[in-house]
Amino acid sequence: MQRSPIKHCRACGAPVVYRLPDDGDTKPRAVCTACQTIHYENPLNVVGTVPAWGPDGEHVLLCKRNIEPRLGKWTLPAGFMELGETTAEGALRETDEEAGAQIEMGPLFTLMNVARVGQVHLYYRARLLSDRFAPGPETQEARLFTEAEVPWDEIAFRTVRETLLHYFADRRAGRFGFHTLDID
Ligand SMILES: [Zn+2]
């Protein structure tokens, strides 16, 4: 999911060119050819949860994607953070929107840099309060999986796979940590 380059100025609508700004900045930026506004592009945060069910959290909720990319593949509930919300609020909102799942938020579990596409992915552990779900339009199906049942070959994103691997490894070890990872 590479971001498309900026084509038009957000201030005046004129075309932009990518060049070094005149202020000594060392990175090429999208600079407006008319009003000279410099458009800075920074990484986006993707926030989500690992919703667990059962006394020992042996089941994890996954959502089958109803949208591209990776239509039909399985993911943890997650999405782009919105302005005006905290990371935890965004993770809670995405879990509600994608799975219609009621959860109690837990601690931050994984932080993954995906520098190639300019994203930072953050997953929180969460406890499901019910095993009844109401998937939204972005989800074909929401269901619980044990570690043995997880469709490992059908997981939508590397960040989801890594987060699930850490979750089940920590669960087996009887101790949940916090994990950071840089993904190519
Ligand atoms: Zn402009």
Side-chain angles (χ1 to χ4, degrees):
M1 273 194 281
Q2 283 283 6
R3 235 179 296 175
S4 319
I6 295 174
K7 290 197 174 68
H8 295 96
C9 176
R10 283 194 288 267
C12 77
V16 302
V17 290
Y18 277 82
R19 66 169 175 85
L20 290 178
D22 303 324
D23 61 4
D25 197 342
T26 56
K27 282 191 187 329
R29 310 282 182 187
V31 181
C32 178
T33 53
C35 76
Q36 311 302 320
T37 296
I38 302 168
H39 299 280
Y40 296 94
E41 295 164 89
N42 299 102
L44 294 173
N45 292 329
V46 172
V47 291
T49 60
V50 188
W53 175 250
D56 303 317
E58 69 271 29
H59 290 84
V60 163
L61 173 66
L62 296 178
C63 298
K64 193 173 195 179
R65 289 174 63 82
N66 197 33
I67 48 169
E68 294 289 357
R70 317 287 163 84
L71 177 79
K73 304 288 188 192
W74 292 88
T75 184
L76 289 163
F80 288 109
M81 188 180 176
E82 300 281 3
L83 294 174
E85 68 185 7
T86 66
T87 50
E89 285 167 351
L92 183 72
R93 175 183 52 73
E94 289 290 346
T95 305
D96 181 37
E97 286 177 4
E98 294 190 357
Q102 302 305 305
I103 56 168
E104 178 183 275
M105 290 290 289
L108 185 58
F109 184 57
T110 53
L111 184 159
M112 294 162 290
N113 290 290
V114 195
R116 187 176 50 81
V117 292
Q119 295 177 359
V120 179
H121 293 223
L122 301 153
Y123 282 89
Y124 287 81
R125 286 201 288 128
R127 191 172 69 84
L128 282 163
L129 302 175
S130 157
D131 60 354
R132 307 278 296 267
F133 312 119
E138 294 180 8
T139 304
Q140 289 176 15
E141 185 186 354
R143 57 162 284 203
L144 296 168
F145 294 88
T146 63
E147 182 174 8
E149 293 166 344
V150 169
W152 292 104
D153 296 334
E154 299 290 314
I155 298 297
F157 303 108
R158 170 97 187 273
T159 50
V160 171
R161 179 184 172 82
E162 296 290 345
T163 297
L164 287 171
L165 287 170
H166 278 300
Y167 176 82
F168 289 115
D170 280 13
R171 185 179 166 273
R172 266 183 270 117
R175 186 165 176 274
F176 286 98
F178 170 64
H179 308 276
T180 63
L181 203 60
D182 296 339
I183 288 182
D184 301 331

mmCIF file of all heavy atoms in Angstrom, residues 1-48:
data_model
loop_
_atom_site.group_PDB
_atom_site.id
_atom_site.type_symbol
_atom_site.label_atom_id
_atom_site.label_comp_id
_atom_site.label_asym_id
_atom_site.label_seq_id
_atom_site.Cartn_x
_atom_site.Cartn_y
_atom_site.Cartn_z
ATOM 1 N N MET A 1 0.834 -1.197 0.000
ATOM 2 C CA MET A 1 0.000 0.000 0.000
ATOM 3 C C MET A 1 0.868 1.246 0.000
ATOM 4 O O MET A 1 0.813 2.059 0.905
ATOM 5 C CB MET A 1 -0.929 0.010 1.224
ATOM 6 C CG MET A 1 -2.231 -0.716 1.005
ATOM 7 S SD MET A 1 -3.441 -0.354 2.293
ATOM 8 C CE MET A 1 -2.893 -1.405 3.631
ATOM 9 N N GLN A 2 1.692 1.409 -1.043
ATOM 10 C CA GLN A 2 2.479 2.623 -1.180
ATOM 11 C C GLN A 2 1.547 3.807 -1.356
ATOM 12 O O GLN A 2 0.544 3.711 -2.048
ATOM 13 C CB GLN A 2 3.393 2.522 -2.398
ATOM 14 C CG GLN A 2 4.624 1.647 -2.192
ATOM 15 C CD GLN A 2 5.713 2.336 -1.389
ATOM 16 O OE1 GLN A 2 5.519 3.430 -0.894
ATOM 17 N NE2 GLN A 2 6.840 1.670 -1.237
ATOM 18 N N ARG A 3 1.886 4.928 -0.749
ATOM 19 C CA ARG A 3 1.068 6.112 -0.911
ATOM 20 C C ARG A 3 1.365 6.763 -2.260
ATOM 21 O O ARG A 3 2.504 6.798 -2.694
ATOM 22 C CB ARG A 3 1.380 7.102 0.208
ATOM 23 C CG ARG A 3 0.122 7.504 0.957
ATOM 24 C CD ARG A 3 0.464 8.462 2.066
ATOM 25 N NE ARG A 3 1.321 7.860 3.089
ATOM 26 C CZ ARG A 3 1.818 8.552 4.108
ATOM 27 N NH1 ARG A 3 1.571 9.838 4.203
ATOM 28 N NH2 ARG A 3 2.560 7.966 5.014
ATOM 29 N N SER A 4 0.332 7.299 -2.913
ATOM 30 C CA SER A 4 0.539 7.986 -4.188
ATOM 31 C C SER A 4 1.187 9.335 -3.918
ATOM 32 O O SER A 4 0.902 9.963 -2.905
ATOM 33 C CB SER A 4 -0.787 8.243 -4.895
ATOM 34 O OG SER A 4 -1.612 7.136 -4.776
ATOM 35 N N PRO A 5 2.043 9.774 -4.851
ATOM 36 C CA PRO A 5 2.646 11.100 -4.672
ATOM 37 C C PRO A 5 1.576 12.193 -4.752
ATOM 38 O O PRO A 5 0.554 12.011 -5.416
ATOM 39 C CB PRO A 5 3.640 11.207 -5.821
ATOM 40 C CG PRO A 5 3.388 10.071 -6.719
ATOM 41 C CD PRO A 5 2.497 9.083 -6.047
ATOM 42 N N ILE A 6 1.829 13.309 -4.060
ATOM 43 C CA ILE A 6 0.923 14.463 -4.115
ATOM 44 C C ILE A 6 1.035 15.097 -5.500
ATOM 45 O O ILE A 6 2.134 15.221 -6.043
ATOM 46 C CB ILE A 6 1.312 15.496 -3.026
ATOM 47 C CG1 ILE A 6 1.084 14.890 -1.642
ATOM 48 C CG2 ILE A 6 0.505 16.790 -3.187
ATOM 49 C CD1 ILE A 6 1.581 15.771 -0.508
ATOM 50 N N LYS A 7 -0.112 15.453 -6.090
ATOM 51 C CA LYS A 7 -0.098 16.069 -7.426
ATOM 52 C C LYS A 7 -0.472 17.548 -7.383
ATOM 53 O O LYS A 7 0.042 18.340 -8.159
ATOM 54 C CB LYS A 7 -1.056 15.324 -8.358
ATOM 55 C CG LYS A 7 -0.578 13.923 -8.737
ATOM 56 C CD LYS A 7 -1.343 13.431 -9.968
ATOM 57 C CE LYS A 7 -0.800 12.105 -10.481
ATOM 58 N NZ LYS A 7 -1.050 10.988 -9.551
ATOM 59 N N HIS A 8 -1.399 17.874 -6.459
ATOM 60 C CA HIS A 8 -1.895 19.250 -6.423
ATOM 61 C C HIS A 8 -1.773 19.836 -5.027
ATOM 62 O O HIS A 8 -1.884 19.132 -4.034
ATOM 63 C CB HIS A 8 -3.350 19.302 -6.901
ATOM 64 C CG HIS A 8 -3.510 18.910 -8.340
ATOM 65 N ND1 HIS A 8 -3.853 17.637 -8.719
ATOM 66 C CD2 HIS A 8 -3.315 19.610 -9.479
ATOM 67 C CE1 HIS A 8 -3.888 17.572 -10.039
ATOM 68 N NE2 HIS A 8 -3.553 18.759 -10.530
ATOM 69 N N CYS A 9 -1.577 21.144 -4.983
ATOM 70 C CA CYS A 9 -1.424 21.860 -3.732
ATOM 71 C C CYS A 9 -2.721 21.817 -2.928
ATOM 72 O O CYS A 9 -3.800 22.099 -3.466
ATOM 73 C CB CYS A 9 -1.032 23.309 -4.031
ATOM 74 S SG CYS A 9 -0.919 24.319 -2.540
ATOM 75 N N ARG A 10 -2.611 21.488 -1.636
ATOM 76 C CA ARG A 10 -3.810 21.447 -0.782
ATOM 77 C C ARG A 10 -4.273 22.857 -0.399
ATOM 78 O O ARG A 10 -5.379 23.032 0.076
ATOM 79 C CB ARG A 10 -3.522 20.628 0.489
ATOM 80 C CG ARG A 10 -3.542 19.124 0.235
ATOM 81 C CD ARG A 10 -3.605 18.335 1.537
ATOM 82 N NE ARG A 10 -2.334 18.390 2.257
ATOM 83 C CZ ARG A 10 -1.376 17.483 2.138
ATOM 84 N NH1 ARG A 10 -1.537 16.427 1.354
ATOM 85 N NH2 ARG A 10 -0.258 17.597 2.820
ATOM 86 N N ALA A 11 -3.399 23.842 -0.608
ATOM 87 C CA ALA A 11 -3.772 25.220 -0.253
ATOM 88 C C ALA A 11 -4.446 25.936 -1.423
ATOM 89 O O ALA A 11 -5.437 26.630 -1.234
ATOM 90 C CB ALA A 11 -2.536 25.994 0.203
ATOM 91 N N CYS A 12 -3.921 25.770 -2.661
ATOM 92 C CA CYS A 12 -4.442 26.561 -3.781
ATOM 93 C C CYS A 12 -4.821 25.732 -5.006
ATOM 94 O O CYS A 12 -5.406 26.254 -5.952
ATOM 95 C CB CYS A 12 -3.433 27.637 -4.180
ATOM 96 S SG CYS A 12 -2.045 27.011 -5.143
ATOM 97 N N GLY A 13 -4.489 24.429 -5.014
ATOM 98 C CA GLY A 13 -4.905 23.568 -6.116
ATOM 99 C C GLY A 13 -3.959 23.538 -7.304
ATOM 100 O O GLY A 13 -4.145 22.745 -8.233
ATOM 101 N N ALA A 14 -2.924 24.376 -7.308
ATOM 102 C CA ALA A 14 -1.955 24.389 -8.422
ATOM 103 C C ALA A 14 -1.094 23.118 -8.373
ATOM 104 O O ALA A 14 -1.030 22.452 -7.347
ATOM 105 C CB ALA A 14 -1.076 25.629 -8.312
ATOM 106 N N PRO A 15 -0.453 22.764 -9.494
ATOM 107 C CA PRO A 15 0.427 21.575 -9.479
ATOM 108 C C PRO A 15 1.595 21.757 -8.506
ATOM 109 O O PRO A 15 2.028 22.880 -8.258
ATOM 110 C CB PRO A 15 0.941 21.499 -10.916
ATOM 111 C CG PRO A 15 0.007 22.328 -11.729
ATOM 112 C CD PRO A 15 -0.524 23.389 -10.818
ATOM 113 N N VAL A 16 2.087 20.630 -7.972
ATOM 114 C CA VAL A 16 3.287 20.667 -7.128
ATOM 115 C C VAL A 16 4.432 19.999 -7.875
ATOM 116 O O VAL A 16 4.206 19.236 -8.813
ATOM 117 C CB VAL A 16 3.082 19.946 -5.771
ATOM 118 C CG1 VAL A 16 1.931 20.562 -4.995
ATOM 119 C CG2 VAL A 16 2.885 18.449 -5.972
ATOM 120 N N VAL A 17 5.650 20.301 -7.473
ATOM 121 C CA VAL A 17 6.818 19.565 -7.951
ATOM 122 C C VAL A 17 7.568 19.040 -6.735
ATOM 123 O O VAL A 17 7.562 19.680 -5.670
ATOM 124 C CB VAL A 17 7.768 20.433 -8.805
ATOM 125 C CG1 VAL A 17 7.132 20.759 -10.147
ATOM 126 C CG2 VAL A 17 8.195 21.693 -8.074
ATOM 127 N N TYR A 18 8.188 17.866 -6.892
ATOM 128 C CA TYR A 18 9.031 17.341 -5.813
ATOM 129 C C TYR A 18 10.436 17.899 -5.973
ATOM 130 O O TYR A 18 11.079 17.688 -7.000
ATOM 131 C CB TYR A 18 9.035 15.809 -5.835
ATOM 132 C CG TYR A 18 7.827 15.222 -5.131
ATOM 133 C CD1 TYR A 18 6.601 15.111 -5.774
ATOM 134 C CD2 TYR A 18 7.920 14.808 -3.800
ATOM 135 C CE1 TYR A 18 5.491 14.593 -5.116
ATOM 136 C CE2 TYR A 18 6.816 14.284 -3.136
ATOM 137 C CZ TYR A 18 5.601 14.183 -3.796
ATOM 138 O OH TYR A 18 4.509 13.684 -3.138
ATOM 139 N N ARG A 19 10.879 18.662 -4.991
ATOM 140 C CA ARG A 19 12.219 19.253 -5.037
ATOM 141 C C ARG A 19 12.673 19.589 -3.625
ATOM 142 O O ARG A 19 11.871 19.566 -2.675
ATOM 143 C CB ARG A 19 12.228 20.511 -5.915
ATOM 144 C CG ARG A 19 11.402 21.673 -5.367
ATOM 145 C CD ARG A 19 11.701 22.942 -6.178
ATOM 146 N NE ARG A 19 10.883 24.086 -5.816
ATOM 147 C CZ ARG A 19 11.162 24.937 -4.820
ATOM 148 N NH1 ARG A 19 12.232 24.749 -4.033
ATOM 149 N NH2 ARG A 19 10.367 25.975 -4.581
ATOM 150 N N LEU A 20 13.959 19.909 -3.475
ATOM 151 C CA LEU A 20 14.445 20.370 -2.181
ATOM 152 C C LEU A 20 13.884 21.765 -1.937
ATOM 153 O O LEU A 20 14.012 22.641 -2.799
ATOM 154 C CB LEU A 20 15.981 20.432 -2.174
ATOM 155 C CG LEU A 20 16.727 19.098 -2.205
ATOM 156 C CD1 LEU A 20 18.236 19.339 -2.235
ATOM 157 C CD2 LEU A 20 16.365 18.234 -1.006
ATOM 158 N N PRO A 21 13.234 21.979 -0.792
ATOM 159 C CA PRO A 21 12.736 23.333 -0.498
ATOM 160 C C PRO A 21 13.903 24.313 -0.345
ATOM 161 O O PRO A 21 15.051 23.909 -0.189
ATOM 162 C CB PRO A 21 11.988 23.155 0.827
ATOM 163 C CG PRO A 21 11.749 21.694 0.967
ATOM 164 C CD PRO A 21 12.891 21.020 0.257
ATOM 165 N N ASP A 22 13.589 25.590 -0.388
ATOM 166 C CA ASP A 22 14.631 26.625 -0.337
ATOM 167 C C ASP A 22 15.127 26.913 1.078
ATOM 168 O O ASP A 22 16.001 27.752 1.269
ATOM 169 C CB ASP A 22 14.089 27.936 -0.943
ATOM 170 C CG ASP A 22 13.609 27.721 -2.373
ATOM 171 O OD1 ASP A 22 14.242 26.917 -3.089
ATOM 172 O OD2 ASP A 22 12.591 28.342 -2.760
ATOM 173 N N ASP A 23 14.533 26.229 2.076
ATOM 174 C CA ASP A 23 14.860 26.572 3.466
ATOM 175 C C ASP A 23 15.994 25.729 4.046
ATOM 176 O O ASP A 23 16.214 25.718 5.255
ATOM 177 C CB ASP A 23 13.608 26.437 4.345
ATOM 178 C CG ASP A 23 13.055 25.016 4.351
ATOM 179 O OD1 ASP A 23 13.684 24.113 3.727
ATOM 180 O OD2 ASP A 23 12.014 24.792 4.977
ATOM 181 N N GLY A 24 16.721 25.003 3.190
ATOM 182 C CA GLY A 24 17.838 24.202 3.690
ATOM 183 C C GLY A 24 17.459 22.785 4.051
ATOM 184 O O GLY A 24 18.300 21.982 4.452
ATOM 185 N N ASP A 25 16.176 22.443 3.923
ATOM 186 C CA ASP A 25 15.684 21.072 4.131
ATOM 187 C C ASP A 25 16.480 20.123 3.229
ATOM 188 O O ASP A 25 16.850 20.487 2.114
ATOM 189 C CB ASP A 25 14.194 21.032 3.768
ATOM 190 C CG ASP A 25 13.489 19.808 4.330
ATOM 191 O OD1 ASP A 25 14.164 18.830 4.695
ATOM 192 O OD2 ASP A 25 12.241 19.847 4.395
ATOM 193 N N THR A 26 16.767 18.913 3.715
ATOM 194 C CA THR A 26 17.615 17.987 2.949
ATOM 195 C C THR A 26 16.824 16.896 2.238
ATOM 196 O O THR A 26 17.404 16.026 1.598
ATOM 197 C CB THR A 26 18.645 17.333 3.875
ATOM 198 O OG1 THR A 26 17.945 16.699 4.949
ATOM 199 C CG2 THR A 26 19.619 18.361 4.422
ATOM 200 N N LYS A 27 15.491 16.906 2.378
ATOM 201 C CA LYS A 27 14.662 15.900 1.703
ATOM 202 C C LYS A 27 13.781 16.573 0.653
ATOM 203 O O LYS A 27 13.250 17.658 0.891
ATOM 204 C CB LYS A 27 13.745 15.199 2.708
ATOM 205 C CG LYS A 27 14.438 14.144 3.552
ATOM 206 C CD LYS A 27 13.373 13.349 4.281
ATOM 207 C CE LYS A 27 13.893 12.358 5.286
ATOM 208 N NZ LYS A 27 15.159 11.739 5.050
ATOM 209 N N PRO A 28 13.625 15.919 -0.512
ATOM 210 C CA PRO A 28 12.695 16.464 -1.503
ATOM 211 C C PRO A 28 11.275 16.476 -0.951
ATOM 212 O O PRO A 28 10.859 15.522 -0.293
ATOM 213 C CB PRO A 28 12.799 15.491 -2.684
ATOM 214 C CG PRO A 28 14.013 14.670 -2.428
ATOM 215 C CD PRO A 28 14.233 14.666 -0.957
ATOM 216 N N ARG A 29 10.557 17.571 -1.179
ATOM 217 C CA ARG A 29 9.168 17.703 -0.722
ATOM 218 C C ARG A 29 8.306 18.125 -1.898
ATOM 219 O O ARG A 29 8.806 18.684 -2.883
ATOM 220 C CB ARG A 29 9.057 18.796 0.362
ATOM 221 C CG ARG A 29 10.036 18.703 1.496
ATOM 222 C CD ARG A 29 9.654 17.657 2.512
ATOM 223 N NE ARG A 29 10.626 17.647 3.615
ATOM 224 C CZ ARG A 29 10.617 16.730 4.583
ATOM 225 N NH1 ARG A 29 9.714 15.757 4.598
ATOM 226 N NH2 ARG A 29 11.513 16.766 5.543
ATOM 227 N N ALA A 30 7.000 17.912 -1.728
ATOM 228 C CA ALA A 30 6.058 18.411 -2.730
ATOM 229 C C ALA A 30 5.883 19.905 -2.482
ATOM 230 O O ALA A 30 5.326 20.311 -1.470
ATOM 231 C CB ALA A 30 4.727 17.688 -2.608
ATOM 232 N N VAL A 31 6.391 20.719 -3.408
ATOM 233 C CA VAL A 31 6.348 22.179 -3.249
ATOM 234 C C VAL A 31 5.432 22.751 -4.322
ATOM 235 O O VAL A 31 5.549 22.408 -5.505
ATOM 236 C CB VAL A 31 7.763 22.796 -3.383
ATOM 237 C CG1 VAL A 31 7.714 24.308 -3.181
ATOM 238 C CG2 VAL A 31 8.733 22.151 -2.395
ATOM 239 N N CYS A 32 4.511 23.617 -3.896
ATOM 240 C CA CYS A 32 3.550 24.206 -4.834
ATOM 241 C C CYS A 32 4.267 25.146 -5.801
ATOM 242 O O CYS A 32 5.084 25.963 -5.395
ATOM 243 C CB CYS A 32 2.464 24.956 -4.076
ATOM 244 S SG CYS A 32 1.278 25.746 -5.191
ATOM 245 N N THR A 33 3.916 25.017 -7.104
ATOM 246 C CA THR A 33 4.544 25.864 -8.124
ATOM 247 C C THR A 33 3.955 27.271 -8.109
ATOM 248 O O THR A 33 4.523 28.175 -8.696
ATOM 249 C CB THR A 33 4.336 25.247 -9.521
ATOM 250 O OG1 THR A 33 2.941 24.999 -9.710
ATOM 251 C CG2 THR A 33 5.095 23.940 -9.659
ATOM 252 N N ALA A 34 2.821 27.458 -7.452
ATOM 253 C CA ALA A 34 2.191 28.784 -7.424
ATOM 254 C C ALA A 34 2.427 29.494 -6.091
ATOM 255 O O ALA A 34 3.048 30.549 -6.044
ATOM 256 C CB ALA A 34 0.698 28.665 -7.707
ATOM 257 N N CYS A 35 1.949 28.881 -4.981
ATOM 258 C CA CYS A 35 2.019 29.591 -3.692
ATOM 259 C C CYS A 35 3.213 29.137 -2.843
ATOM 260 O O CYS A 35 3.409 29.660 -1.748
ATOM 261 C CB CYS A 35 0.706 29.435 -2.924
ATOM 262 S SG CYS A 35 0.474 27.818 -2.159
ATOM 263 N N GLN A 36 3.984 28.173 -3.336
ATOM 264 C CA GLN A 36 5.226 27.711 -2.686
ATOM 265 C C GLN A 36 5.000 26.939 -1.376
ATOM 266 O O GLN A 36 5.953 26.656 -0.649
ATOM 267 C CB GLN A 36 6.210 28.884 -2.406
ATOM 268 C CG GLN A 36 6.465 29.804 -3.587
ATOM 269 C CD GLN A 36 7.017 29.060 -4.786
ATOM 270 O OE1 GLN A 36 7.855 28.171 -4.645
ATOM 271 N NE2 GLN A 36 6.532 29.366 -5.972
ATOM 272 N N THR A 37 3.746 26.603 -1.071
ATOM 273 C CA THR A 37 3.481 25.814 0.140
ATOM 274 C C THR A 37 4.227 24.480 0.053
ATOM 275 O O THR A 37 4.223 23.818 -0.998
ATOM 276 C CB THR A 37 1.965 25.550 0.298
ATOM 277 O OG1 THR A 37 1.310 26.797 0.484
ATOM 278 C CG2 THR A 37 1.675 24.641 1.488
ATOM 279 N N ILE A 38 4.891 24.125 1.154
ATOM 280 C CA ILE A 38 5.598 22.839 1.221
ATOM 281 C C ILE A 38 4.684 21.821 1.891
ATOM 282 O O ILE A 38 4.146 22.072 2.975
ATOM 283 C CB ILE A 38 6.902 22.983 2.031
ATOM 284 C CG1 ILE A 38 7.805 24.054 1.408
ATOM 285 C CG2 ILE A 38 7.631 21.633 2.125
ATOM 286 C CD1 ILE A 38 8.964 24.469 2.304
ATOM 287 N N HIS A 39 4.482 20.675 1.238
ATOM 288 C CA HIS A 39 3.599 19.637 1.792
ATOM 289 C C HIS A 39 4.455 18.540 2.423
ATOM 290 O O HIS A 39 5.140 17.803 1.715
ATOM 291 C CB HIS A 39 2.693 19.074 0.706
ATOM 292 C CG HIS A 39 1.807 20.114 0.105
ATOM 293 N ND1 HIS A 39 0.653 20.542 0.693
ATOM 294 C CD2 HIS A 39 1.935 20.854 -1.025
ATOM 295 C CE1 HIS A 39 0.086 21.472 -0.046
ATOM 296 N NE2 HIS A 39 0.856 21.691 -1.086
ATOM 297 N N TYR A 40 4.415 18.439 3.744
ATOM 298 C CA TYR A 40 5.187 17.421 4.447
ATOM 299 C C TYR A 40 4.365 16.146 4.516
ATOM 300 O O TYR A 40 3.165 16.184 4.813
ATOM 301 C CB TYR A 40 5.550 17.910 5.855
ATOM 302 C CG TYR A 40 6.461 19.108 5.815
ATOM 303 C CD1 TYR A 40 5.948 20.400 5.883
ATOM 304 C CD2 TYR A 40 7.836 18.945 5.652
ATOM 305 C CE1 TYR A 40 6.782 21.505 5.818
ATOM 306 C CE2 TYR A 40 8.682 20.046 5.582
ATOM 307 C CZ TYR A 40 8.142 21.317 5.666
ATOM 308 O OH TYR A 40 8.973 22.403 5.584
ATOM 309 N N GLU A 41 5.007 15.002 4.241
ATOM 310 C CA GLU A 41 4.321 13.711 4.309
ATOM 311 C C GLU A 41 4.992 12.875 5.381
ATOM 312 O O GLU A 41 6.199 12.678 5.357
ATOM 313 C CB GLU A 41 4.407 13.012 2.955
ATOM 314 C CG GLU A 41 3.658 13.771 1.872
ATOM 315 C CD GLU A 41 4.066 13.301 0.481
ATOM 316 O OE1 GLU A 41 3.434 12.365 -0.009
ATOM 317 O OE2 GLU A 41 5.031 13.861 -0.066
ATOM 318 N N ASN A 42 4.189 12.429 6.325
ATOM 319 C CA ASN A 42 4.723 11.690 7.468
ATOM 320 C C ASN A 42 4.012 10.346 7.597
ATOM 321 O O ASN A 42 2.932 10.152 7.042
ATOM 322 C CB ASN A 42 4.529 12.526 8.744
ATOM 323 C CG ASN A 42 5.267 13.850 8.643
ATOM 324 O OD1 ASN A 42 4.668 14.886 8.396
ATOM 325 N ND2 ASN A 42 6.565 13.812 8.790
ATOM 326 N N PRO A 43 4.618 9.414 8.347
ATOM 327 C CA PRO A 43 4.009 8.080 8.475
ATOM 328 C C PRO A 43 2.610 8.128 9.086
ATOM 329 O O PRO A 43 2.266 9.037 9.842
ATOM 330 C CB PRO A 43 4.981 7.345 9.404
ATOM 331 C CG PRO A 43 6.287 8.010 9.175
ATOM 332 C CD PRO A 43 5.943 9.471 8.970
ATOM 333 N N LEU A 44 1.830 7.119 8.746
ATOM 334 C CA LEU A 44 0.483 6.960 9.291
ATOM 335 C C LEU A 44 0.496 5.827 10.316
ATOM 336 O O LEU A 44 1.257 4.870 10.183
ATOM 337 C CB LEU A 44 -0.500 6.609 8.176
ATOM 338 C CG LEU A 44 -0.735 7.698 7.122
ATOM 339 C CD1 LEU A 44 -1.604 7.142 5.995
ATOM 340 C CD2 LEU A 44 -1.386 8.920 7.750
ATOM 341 N N ASN A 45 -0.369 5.952 11.314
ATOM 342 C CA ASN A 45 -0.499 4.888 12.313
ATOM 343 C C ASN A 45 -1.667 3.972 11.973
ATOM 344 O O ASN A 45 -2.763 4.438 11.657
ATOM 345 C CB ASN A 45 -0.762 5.481 13.703
ATOM 346 C CG ASN A 45 0.438 6.227 14.243
ATOM 347 O OD1 ASN A 45 1.579 5.873 13.928
ATOM 348 N ND2 ASN A 45 0.202 7.245 15.031
ATOM 349 N N VAL A 46 -1.405 2.669 12.049
ATOM 350 C CA VAL A 46 -2.456 1.661 11.948
ATOM 351 C C VAL A 46 -2.623 1.080 13.345
ATOM 352 O O VAL A 46 -1.639 0.657 13.964
ATOM 353 C CB VAL A 46 -2.086 0.557 10.930
ATOM 354 C CG1 VAL A 46 -3.097 -0.596 10.968
ATOM 355 C CG2 VAL A 46 -2.011 1.144 9.527
ATOM 356 N N VAL A 47 -3.844 1.087 13.874
ATOM 357 C CA VAL A 47 -4.085 0.655 15.249
ATOM 358 C C VAL A 47 -5.094 -0.481 15.274
ATOM 359 O O VAL A 47 -6.064 -0.478 14.514
ATOM 360 C CB VAL A 47 -4.562 1.828 16.134
ATOM 361 C CG1 VAL A 47 -3.428 2.823 16.344
ATOM 362 C CG2 VAL A 47 -5.761 2.544 15.521
ATOM 363 N N GLY A 48 -4.854 -1.456 16.138
ATOM 364 C CA GLY A 48 -5.753 -2.607 16.193
ATOM 365 C C GLY A 48 -5.651 -3.345 17.513
ATOM 366 O O GLY A 48 -4.949 -2.911 18.439
#
